[in-house]
Structures are given as structure tokens and as C-alpha cells.
Amino acid sequence: MAEKLWGGRFSKEIDRSVLKYTLTTDIDSRLIRYDIWGSMAHLAMLNNGEIVSKEAAGKIFSALLKLYESNERGTLTLDPELEDVHLNIESLVIREIGSEYGGRLHTARSRNDQVVTDTRMYLRVELLDIQKNLYSFVNTLLKLSDECTHKIAIGYTHLQPAQPISLAFWYSCYASMFLRDLARLESAFNVTNLNVLGACALAGTSFPIDREITSKLLGFDRELMHSLDATSSRDFVLQTASTFAILMSNFSRLAEEIVIWNSHEFGLLAIDDTFATGSSIMPQKKNPVVAELVKGRVGRIYGVLMQLLTMVKGVTLGYNCDLQEDKPMLWDAIDIIKNTTSILHQHIENSDYKSDRAEELCWKNFSTVTELANYLVREKNLPFREAHHLTGLLTQKLSTEAMDMRNTAFVREFLAQQSIALSEKEIHDCVSPIKVMERQCSAGSTGPDRVKEMVKKLQQELESFQSRLEHKSQVLQDAENATLKIAKDMQLKTITGG
Ligand code: ARG
């Protein structure tokens, strides 16, 4: 049985069921790298302030480097007996070089500031990764948009045919939407990337620590100064989870459209065989299971947000073990969001929107009648309300006779009865789906020039994200390398038996 680092005031061993109920070693495996890196930065700072001697620091660095390398090789596993990652790493250091040296690492820090430091360090990497994945998805949507500004798609309101739009307008709508998700992810990153190390248990410390040094070595933007706030708050996790919840709800709208457009009755979207599964009994089935699962998993992401909001509610200031429950849920959410972003991206790339069918349906579903009303306003000086009424009546008559807007002779005759003279060619041009779509010209409309303008602007906005993303990744990498360099420069050969 491993000896407890906090064992001094205890005369009995912890109950096995209590240990099992409270330990976090399984969840903490994602934090090992950050716990070691954080320990190195803390130690460099302690040594710089002459709180720990060069000799002790050298020995501790050598032990930490060994652990770092072992973790890189995938051979470092956490011992559940030691509760969590922090006590594991500290114990391994002490086991390697003895307590006289290793026992100095935990000077002027606490697991309460360590756990938030590690979580922030891990989360920011995942937030960057998710942003990169979403960036590439938006990039694909904008590329697809560029190729189909003249292709027809159907625009719905109330899921009733409304007006023809371009396929580019549909793709770029999701790009426009997801760019706001990118901005929210960036903002979640910014509140996450703050240094809480040095807050110690809650009240700070009487040692002359320098928190700017650890901020720099850990790649944080700056310190979250207030020690009680730093150790108590989990709102960076809440902000991340709510950002995920909004993103997932946006994903689920796309997923729902995939399912509906793909149905036999709509027949607007053909999904690739590689993105569907069949039925064990009905041979004809090709089910859009990926999109269905995206929708199905939304509840898990909303659930994480609800769990986290409930977890922090009514928790007094200072660390409370309630807060330990943030990580399992957050890890789960990170995995779902990452997988969903990349699979939906591939799903869209492997689906084929049937523009020809959309155009055909737009003739049949009366979705260009608004444009006939507009034409009567423009060319025949009718008040819009009257034009609306008249074309509504026309729609009713055509549909009861099982006709559509292609029956131009009928339309011409109907209008002539109202003393409105339009030729059949004029009517046809006025309500042709492609022409209707191309005629839209207001800012932000579906007209090809307007869509091209928007796609260009969205692309520029996207590029600005990319340079910031690359910069942030670089800062983190440089900081880790700088910390490792200090550790390597200062390490001393361990005396075996320590
Ligand atoms: N394992 C804890 C967590 O995940 C960190 C240790 C907190 N400190 C304590 N005194 N139990 O939140």
C-alpha cells in the first residue's frame, strides 16, 4: 500500500470504498503531461526566487524529466492508491530522489491551484484543436459555396416551400453560423488561458513567489490574480460547456436537414454509401445514421452543461470536492464535439445535393409566386398587397386544376381577366426558379453576386482566425520547450538510493 503524502494527522488507513469513491486517477491520465510541465515551471520559479536550492532543483528536474519522457513513451501509469495525478507525480519524484530533495517540490503550491492549472492547460489544447477542426469545416463550406452560386436549392419556412435559393446560399449559411461558434470557442480559450498557479490552497503564500515566471513558462496570457477566485471558480469550464452546447445545437440543425433532404419524399440530398447503414430486415433501406446520431448526442452535450451548472451551484468559496466532478463530463464533451465536427465535415463532403430536382420542385411548389407579385408591383404599378392577393388566388386555381406555373397560357388568361397583360414568355421568365434566384440583389440575399461577396468576406474572417490559432499554438509549444530546456540545463545526475 502506497504511503499517503497527507498521512501525518491520520492514525488509520482510508477505507477501500472511500478511496474508490473519491479517486480520479483514471480521469487524470489526460493531465499527466501538464502536471509535470506545471511542476517544472513551478520549480524553476522556486529556484529563481531562491526558495529551493540549485542542488535540490537539479535533482527534482532530473526526476521530472524522467517522468516526462516516460509519459511521452506511454509507459507512465497512475497508481489509484495515490488518489490523483498530483499526488502520483509528487510521490514518483520522492521515490526517485528521496524526500530530502523531492519533498521540496510542493513548497508554495497546493493541489487546489494545481488541479485548475492542469485542467486549464489541457483544455486550452483541446479548444485549439476543436477550433482547427471547425476552421477546416467552414473552409470546406465556403469552397463548396464558391462552386455553386448558380445552382438551385429550395428555401423553406415552416418546412413549406418558400423561395428558391442557391445551393451556395445554403452552404454559406452554415459557414456564417459556425464562424460565430469559432468566435465563442476563441473566447472560451481566452478565459481558460489564465494562470492560477501560485494561488496555493486559497490564500496565496508567505513565500516570495513570482507568478509572472510561471505564466510565461506555462504559456498563459497572464495571471488570474485573486487566489480565492482562482481556486474556487470553474466558470471557464461552464463557458466552454455552453459554447459546446450552442455549437452542438447548430450541428444538429444541419444534421436534421441532412436527414430530411435525404428522405425519399424530398430526394434533395444523396448521401454516400460510406456514410449510411442498411437494415437487417428491409433490403431497400439506406439509413442516414451519422446525422441521426449527431442529433442524438446533442442531449449528452446539454447534459454536461446542466451537470456543471448544478455542480457549482451553492458551492462555498475555496476548493470543495464537488468541483472534482467537472472533469469526467468535460472530457466526454470534448470527445463528442471533436468527433462530431470531423464526421459532419466529411459527411457534407460526401453528400450530393440534387440541384436539378430542386429546380424541378420549385416549378411545381409555387415557390416563385412571390416574384410574380413583385413583377406586378414593378411593371404594372400594383400595390404589393393587391399583387399578393391576386397571385395567391392564381396559386389556388392552378393547384386545384393540378397545374403549376409552367402552365403559362392559363396564367396569361387569368391575368388578362384582371386587365393585366403579360406575355407567356414574360411569365415564364418571371417565375423561372433560376432566374428568380439570380434576380435577388439586396445585400445578404441569395443572388449570385451577393453570395460571392459574402463568401469572400466570410473567407477573410476565417483567415484571421487561422493566423491567431497558429500564433496561440506556437506560444504553447515555445513555452513547453523553454520549460524543458531549463529542466535539462539544470538537471543533476541522481545519486541512486537518493
Ligand atoms: N483530484 C482533485 C480534483 O480533481 C484535486 C485535488 C483537490 N484537493 C484536495 N484537497 N482534495 O479536483
Side-chain angles (χ1 to χ4, degrees), residues 6 30 163 168 186 189 194 255 379 383 430 463 465:
W6 44 252
R30 296 194 192 196
Q163 288 182 303
E186 189 174 47
F189 177 93
L194 301 178
E379 302 296 323
C430 175
E463 294 319 319
F465 272 106

Side-chain angles (χ1 to χ4, degrees), residues 24 28 84 86 111-112 115 319 321 323-324 327:
T24 56
D28 284 3
D84 59 27
H86 325 295
R111 281 189 291 163
N112 300 349
V115 70
Y319 180 84
C321 232
L323 303 178
Q324 174 169 301
K327 290 179 284 307

Side-chain angles (χ1 to χ4, degrees), residues 401-442:
E401 302 288 329
M403 289 191 279
D404 61 45
M405 295 302 286
R406 279 171 296 192
N407 295 90
T408 46
F410 184 94
V411 177
R412 187 188 53 76
E413 185 52 36
F414 172 86
L415 293 172
Q417 281 165 15
Q418 316 293 323
S419 319
I420 299 166
L422 287 189
S423 72
E424 286 189 45
K425 172 159 185 344
E426 227 176 332
I427 293 164
H428 186 274
D429 284 356
C430 175
V431 296
S432 143
I434 185 93
K435 288 191 173 144
V436 168
M437 181 275 286
E438 286 173 350
R439 215 175 286 136
Q440 309 307 310
C441 58
S442 59

Side-chain angles (χ1 to χ4, degrees), residues 252-267:
S252 81
R253 299 182 77 171
L254 173 55
E256 178 70 354
E257 295 213 317
I258 291 174
V259 171
I260 296 178
W261 301 170
N262 177 248
S263 70
H264 176 77
E265 286 68 18
F266 277 80

Side-chain angles (χ1 to χ4, degrees), residues 6 22-25 27-28 31 83-87 110-116 119 234 319-327:
W6 44 252
T22 54
L23 60 79
T24 56
T25 37
I27 291 296
D28 284 3
L31 300 179
E83 280 178 49
D84 59 27
V85 63
H86 325 295
L87 293 179
S110 154
R111 281 189 291 163
N112 300 349
D113 59 347
Q114 262 190 291
V115 70
V116 197
T119 306
R234 295 294 183 275
Y319 180 84
N320 288 267
C321 232
D322 313 40
L323 303 178
Q324 174 169 301
E325 288 302 303
D326 61 348
K327 290 179 284 307

